[in-house]
Amino acid sequence: MQVALATSSAFRDLDPDDAPLVAALERRELDPRPLVWDDPLSDWTAAPVCLIRSTWDYFDHPEEFRAWADTTGSVTDLWNRAETVRWNSDKRYLLDLEGRGVPTVPTLWLEPGSQIDIAHELAVRDWDAAIIKPAIDGGARRLLRVGPGAAGAGAAQAHVNTLLAGDGAVMVQPFLESVERDGELSIVFVDGRVTHAVRKRPSSGDFRVQPEWGGSVERVEPTRAEHEAAEAVLAAAERDFLYARVDMVRGGAGELLLIELEVIEPRLFLRSAPEAADALAAAIAGRLA
Ligand SMILES: Nc1ncnc2c1ncn2[C@@H]1O[C@H](COP(=O)(O)OP(=O)(O)O)[C@@H](O)[C@H]1O
Ligand SMILES: [Mg+2]
């Protein structure tokens, strides 16, 4: 039986991190088929189930991607759900989770089209160093670090203006120094249970933990507190996820803060935990049965 794996044209053969999933599906006599999400030749009806994987260009066409998820979800069993894709494709979902008691990174949310004086906003909050990023993005692409050793007031204002002229909301956060030192903790869930965790660290002199920016990945054993915090995030989302990744960082007082809940197309770090690929294949087989 076919299992569609939605990807992007830059990753026609999937990301190498999904190789263990392909192997695990094949061990279960399933037939994994990478399909490019925005290729008109992709036939979404051929497989009874579809998993969203390396669709890492959706931020360039978010509305098309949401519409694709709706359509695909109507002809096959799409994971995660189209409605979850819609919700998670804009980082304003963090406001929902915060409203349900999840500690998140302090954020000044700016609506598209609004005008602000960024130097003033940072000064009143005492944020010497800050991050400016769009609410719809990934891979740390359009993010600017502001403050000592980074962009100055002029560049910060120009970046905010550019982002606010677009369609999406803009986020301003204090720059969390812990990220430079300890990076980000990613806790991966399959079918509601933690399978493994990795710590992603930036390369020296950077603060972006993504491998695209030279970051490294190390499998770690989460502490009980980290495990429980990640479970609380998932519970607060009140949704059915086939897979999920909870990304957490530490605030100034060492407190755990949610930076992202990734439930569209997270890299799941399956090469660090082949047993998680098995668990995912088993969950897919279970849903097909
Ligand atoms: N407030 C922050 N303080 C320090 N580093 C940050 C902050 N926000 C983002 N970063 C860095 O930038 C990266 C990308 O930001 P993130 O919010 O995870 O968006 P995405 O992964 O969707 O691009 C993070 O993984 C982290 O390395
Ligand atoms: Mg991230």
Side-chain angles (χ1 to χ4, degrees), residues 198-266:
V198 300
R199 186 165 292 284
K200 302 176 289 182
R201 283 197 179 81
S203 68
S204 118
D206 208 310
F207 64 97
R208 297 164 300 192
V209 301
Q210 287 70 14
E212 292 80 352
W213 302 106
S216 64
V217 171
E218 178 197 4
R219 183 167 179 174
V220 293
E221 221 28 75
T223 64
R224 176 183 286 266
E226 290 165 343
H227 194 125
E228 286 174 359
E231 283 186 326
V233 171
L234 232 63
E238 294 177 354
R239 278 159 200 272
D240 187 12
F241 301 118
L242 178 58
Y243 54 84
R245 196 183 87 203
V246 174
D247 287 348
M248 289 183 294
V249 291
R250 298 270 174 186
E255 73 280 24
L256 269 177
L257 301 174
L258 177 68
I259 182 164
E260 281 194 278
L261 166 63
E262 292 243 23
V263 290
I264 299 177
E265 31 55 282

Side-chain angles (χ1 to χ4, degrees), residues 91 131 133 137-140 143 173-176 179 184 207-210 259-260:
K91 290 192 172 90
I131 290 285
K133 57 188 173 187
D137 203 13
L143 159 157
Q173 299 180 333
F175 179 77
L176 301 175
V179 175
E184 210 173 88
F207 64 97
R208 297 164 300 192
V209 301
Q210 287 70 14
I259 182 164
E260 281 194 278

Side-chain angles (χ1 to χ4, degrees), residues 54-162:
S54 30
T55 56
W56 293 325
D57 56 358
Y58 86 78
F59 343 94
D60 297 327
H61 326 271
E63 207 35 67
E64 286 89 331
F65 186 71
R66 295 176 192 123
W68 166 83
D70 287 339
T71 314
T72 306
S74 71
V75 297
T76 187
D77 197 19
L78 180 72
W79 294 99
N80 286 318
R81 295 302 192 203
E83 211 281 307
T84 295
V85 168
R86 191 164 284 280
W87 175 72
N88 196 239
S89 62
D90 184 321
K91 290 192 172 90
R92 278 181 278 193
Y93 71 79
L94 287 165
L95 288 166
D96 295 342
L97 296 176
E98 189 182 33
R100 295 181 201 146
V102 173
T104 58
V105 177
T107 305
L108 165 64
W109 296 90
L110 304 171
E111 290 306 308
S114 59
Q115 289 183 343
I116 60 139
D117 174 348
I118 186 69
H120 172 77
E121 297 296 337
L122 296 181
V124 296
R125 288 173 179 77
D126 235 349
W127 293 353
D128 297 342
I131 290 285
I132 301 170
K133 57 188 173 187
I136 305 178
D137 203 13
R141 295 181 320 157
R142 292 188 295 156
L143 159 157
L144 184 73
R145 177 178 173 180
V146 181
Q157 187 65 48
H159 194 64
V160 171
N161 293 348
T162 304

